[in-house]
Amino acid sequence: RYLLEQDFPGMRIGPEPTTDSFIAVMYGDTEGNIPGNALVVDPKKPFRKLSRFGNAFLNRFMCSQLPNQVLKSISIIDSPGILSGEKQRISRGYDFCQVLQWFAERVDRIILLFDAHKLDISDEFSEAIKSFRGQDDKIRVVLNKADQVDTQQLMRVYGALMWSLGKVINTPEVLRVYIGSFWAHPLRNTENRKLFEAEAQDLFKDIQSLPQKAAVRKLNDLIKRARLAKVHAYIISYLKKEMPSVFGKENKKKELISRLPEIYILLQREYQISAGDFPEVSKMQELLETCDFTKFHSLKPKLIEAVDNMLANKIASLMSLIRQEESSMPTEMVQGGAFDGTMAGPFGHGYGEGAKEGADEDEWVVAKDKPAYDEIFYTLSPINGKISGISAKKEMVTSKLPNSVLGKIWKLSDCDGDGMLDDEEFALAKHLIKIKLDGYELPGILPSHLVPPSHRKPFQTAE
C-alpha cells in the first residue's frame, strides 16, 4: 500500500494477521481479482506449479490486478500475517513453509517486516525464515513503526532485533535493516526524521535496482539449478547401482538411506564436488523413504558432459550478451507510486545541506561567514593578497581532519591552480572544512554556486 500509493483489490490493513491469503499484486489494464484455482491454470501467469499444494492453499491464493505504474516493473507477493501464540496450533490446511520456499526460490527480493513495539519471533515466523535457507542474499529486513518510540528506545529495539535475528538466520553477514515509518501519516516522534528519510531512500534504491539485475539473477538461478541437478544425478545413479537385482531390496534401501551422509562424502571425493552443492541430508532421507530405487536411472555421462559444457562455455557467452543488451538499453527503473516525487524539489536527500547549501540563492553562501575567515586569513601574513600552501596548511590542520581530506579540500579551493589561496579561496577552504566537520560529504567537483565570485567566468553574450 505504501509503495503503490493506492488500495488494491483484496487488501486489508490492520493489527493482527488480517491478511489470511497470499495475494499476487500484478499489473493489469483493469482492476480486479483472479481466484487461485483459475490462476494456476492460466498459461500467461507463472503460478501453474502451485497446483500441487491443493485446494486448501488455492482457496487462500489470489491475484490482484490493477493499472499501477509501479507494477509495470515489479510484481509483489503479499503473504499472510504470521501467526503467534495459540493460533499457531490451528493448522492452515496446507504446508505454509513449503509455499514460502516455492516463492523464495523464484522472487528477487524477500522483505521481512517487524514492528518496533513487537519484536518477538514466533515459532511460525522462525520456521518461515528457516524456509528461506539458501536465499540469504535476497533477504532485507524492515523495522517499521519506528516513529512510535524515541531515540533511546529505538537503539534498544534495534539491538534486540539484531540479537533475535542472529539466532534464527545462520549467516556470518549482518542483515541489512531499514528503519522507518512506512505509511503516509504524520510521524508521531520526529527526533529521527532524517534517519527515516535516508533509510526509505536506501530501500527505494534497492527495490528500483531489481529490474536492472533481473536477467543476471535468472541466469544465476539457472546455474544454481544446473549444479544441483548434476549432483542429484550422481546421488540417484549411485543408489540405483548399489541396489541388488533380485532379493533384499527393501533392507538394502534402508541401509542406503541411513548411509546417505557417507555416500555424500564418497561422491564429493570421486567427482570433486563441493559439500555445499549437496541437498540437506535429513530432507533427502525423508524424500527417499517413499521412492522405489529400482526405478531410478543410471548415470548418463553424455548428459553430464552437456551440463559441464553449458556451465563452462555457453553461460559465459550468455553473460556477455546480457551485458551488451543492458548497455544498449536505457536503465530500467521502477516508476510511479512512492517512487515518484520522493526526491523532487527541496525534499531531495541532502537538499540545502552540506555542499548543496545555498544552491538556489543569489548570494555566495560563504559570504555570511567570510568576515570571520578574513580575520584568520590576515593573521597568516598574505603576500600580494595570497597565502602560500605552507601557511594554509598550518591553519587547515587545526581541524584535525586527515591529510587525504585536507588535500581534497585544497584541490577544490585552489580555483586558479596557482598553489596559493586568496581571501575568497581561503574562505571557501574553511567553508568546506566546516561541511566535512558537520558530517556531510565533500563534492567531487566544486559546484558552481560555491565558486568564489572573483573566480567566476563572466557570461559571454552573442553579438
Side-chain angles (χ1 to χ4, degrees):
R1 173 65 183 80
Y2 178 75
L3 295 176
L4 301 179
E5 290 189 343
Q6 77 172 96
D7 293 351
F8 55 86
M11 182 192 85
R12 283 190 293 157
I13 295 174
E16 287 297 294
T18 45
T19 313
D20 63 348
S21 303
F22 279 88
I23 304 176
V25 188
M26 304 177 81
Y27 183 82
D29 294 326
T30 54
E31 200 169 303
N33 277 338
I34 305 170
N37 282 291
L39 200 56
V40 293
V41 295
D42 186 348
K44 292 179 183 176
K45 295 280 190 292
F47 304 118
R48 302 189 81 170
K49 293 282 174 74
L50 282 168
S51 57
R52 69 184 170 96
F53 294 108
N55 272 331
F57 165 70
L58 296 178
N59 291 334
R60 292 269 176 262
F61 180 47
M62 59 186 273
C63 176
S64 183
Q65 290 189 321
L66 65 157
N68 187 291
Q69 183 77 11
V70 174
L71 300 173
K72 282 188 175 181
S73 307
I74 55 171
S75 295
I76 302 166
I77 307 296
D78 181 22
S79 62
I82 293 291
L83 301 177
S84 59
E86 194 66 32
K87 285 172 287 194
Q88 290 178 107
R89 297 189 182 94
I90 303 165
S91 174
R92 289 181 185 266
Y94 60 90
D95 194 327
F96 181 61
C97 290
Q98 282 286 311
V99 174
L100 285 178
Q101 191 176 354
W102 188 93
F103 279 114
E105 286 168 0
R106 288 155 181 83
V107 297
D108 296 311
R109 189 64 78 238
I110 301 164
I111 297 178
L112 305 178
L113 287 155
F114 289 88
D115 286 359
H117 57 275
K118 191 174 143 190
L119 292 176
D120 62 312
I121 299 178
S122 67
D123 294 345
E124 187 176 61
F125 203 178
S126 179
E127 289 301 313
I129 293 170
K130 283 173 185 171
S131 69
F132 301 143
R133 197 161 285 159
Q135 315 292 337
D136 299 335
D137 58 317
K138 296 178 180 179
I139 296 175
R140 301 289 183 273
V141 178
V142 169
L143 179 58
N144 196 18
K145 304 180 186 175
D147 65 322
Q148 296 187 9
V149 293
D150 61 32
T151 307
Q152 190 179 17
Q153 288 172 324
L154 185 59
M155 290 283 287
R156 289 173 180 158
V157 163
Y158 180 79
L161 175 62
M162 296 306 286
W163 182 78
S164 300
L165 285 170
K167 292 198 297 179
V168 180
I169 301 174
N170 298 317
T171 172
E173 292 181 0
V174 178
L175 282 169
R176 177 68 165 97
V177 178
Y178 298 92
I179 303 167
S181 177
F182 295 93
W183 68 341
H185 294 255
L187 298 176
R188 292 192 186 178
N189 193 322
T190 56
E191 284 178 21
N192 299 301
R193 185 189 187 98
K194 270 186 155 181
L195 170 69
F196 299 160
E197 286 171 0
E199 291 283 285
Q201 289 307 324
D202 284 355
L203 181 60
F204 284 174
K205 280 176 191 168
D206 187 64
I207 295 170
Q208 283 186 309
S209 68
L210 294 177
Q212 300 166 39
K213 299 170 187 169
V216 175
R217 269 193 305 273
K218 281 172 186 165
L219 195 59
N220 183 54
D221 286 344
L222 173 68
I223 296 164
K224 196 193 289 184
R225 290 185 70 174
R227 287 162 69 98
L228 291 173
K230 197 171 123 181
V231 172
H232 196 76
Y234 286 133
I235 296 168
I236 295 303
S237 62
Y238 181 88
L239 296 173
K240 161 83 173 175
K241 188 174 68 178
E242 291 293 304
M243 284 298 283
S245 52
V246 185
F247 301 112
K249 289 179 184 177
E250 201 57 40
N251 288 336
K252 188 65 179 176
K253 176 183 168 179
K254 285 177 184 173
E255 184 206 322
L256 288 169
I257 290 172
S258 64
R259 277 186 51 231
L260 199 61
E262 296 169 39
I263 294 167
Y264 276 14
I265 295 164
L266 198 76
L267 294 172
Q268 281 170 40
R269 288 175 186 159
E270 189 177 344
Y271 298 105
Q272 284 81 49
I273 306 167
S274 167
D277 285 348
F278 282 82
E280 199 180 322
V281 174
S282 57
K283 193 176 177 184
M284 192 68 174
Q285 285 173 326
E286 189 185 320
L287 291 168
L288 287 171
E289 292 281 358
T290 57
C291 296
D292 183 354
F293 287 15
T294 56
K295 290 182 180 176
F296 287 166
H297 294 284
S298 301
L299 194 69
K300 296 183 174 66
K302 281 190 177 178
L303 289 177
I304 297 291
E305 279 173 33
V307 173
D308 287 337
N309 179 45
M310 179 196 78
L311 293 171
N313 305 312
K314 292 180 180 176
I315 291 293
S317 59
L318 262 175
M319 275 299 292
S320 62
L321 284 170
I322 288 170
R323 286 198 191 99
Q324 284 172 25
E325 191 177 286
E326 283 177 349
S327 60
S328 63
M329 290 172 71
T331 307
E332 192 182 347
M333 298 283 276
V334 180
Q335 302 292 334
F339 299 97
D340 279 358
T342 53
M343 298 295 281
F347 303 100
H349 186 50
Y351 184 94
E353 299 165 1
K356 294 176 185 176
E357 186 188 352
D360 51 4
E361 294 173 17
D362 294 331
E363 192 181 347
W364 188 38
V365 70
V366 185
K368 64 178 185 289
D369 295 318
K370 192 171 181 292
Y373 298 148
D374 281 349
E375 282 182 29
I376 301 166
F377 178 77
Y378 288 112
T379 63
L380 299 172
S381 309
I383 301 165
N384 298 327
K386 294 194 172 190
I387 57 169
S388 65
I390 295 167
S391 300
K393 183 184 176 182
K394 283 177 186 173
E395 172 58 31
M396 289 169 74
V397 292
T398 60
S399 66
K400 297 183 182 178
L401 287 170
N403 282 352
S404 56
V405 175
L406 293 174
K408 188 174 183 181
I409 290 170
W410 173 272
K411 191 178 175 184
L412 291 168
S413 304
D414 187 9
C415 300
D416 51 15
D418 64 353
M420 303 181 85
L421 300 182
D422 62 24
D423 61 324
E424 287 188 342
E425 290 173 323
F426 178 77
L428 173 61
K430 292 291 284 180
H431 181 73
L432 292 171
I433 286 170
K434 182 174 174 286
I435 286 170
K436 193 65 188 168
L437 291 175
D438 286 344
Y440 298 103
E441 288 304 311
L442 293 171
I445 301 165
L446 192 67
S448 57
H449 72 278
L450 286 182
V451 176
S454 63
H455 292 273
R456 293 177 188 175
K457 292 175 183 175
F459 291 108
Q460 295 179 350
T461 54
E463 292 180 8

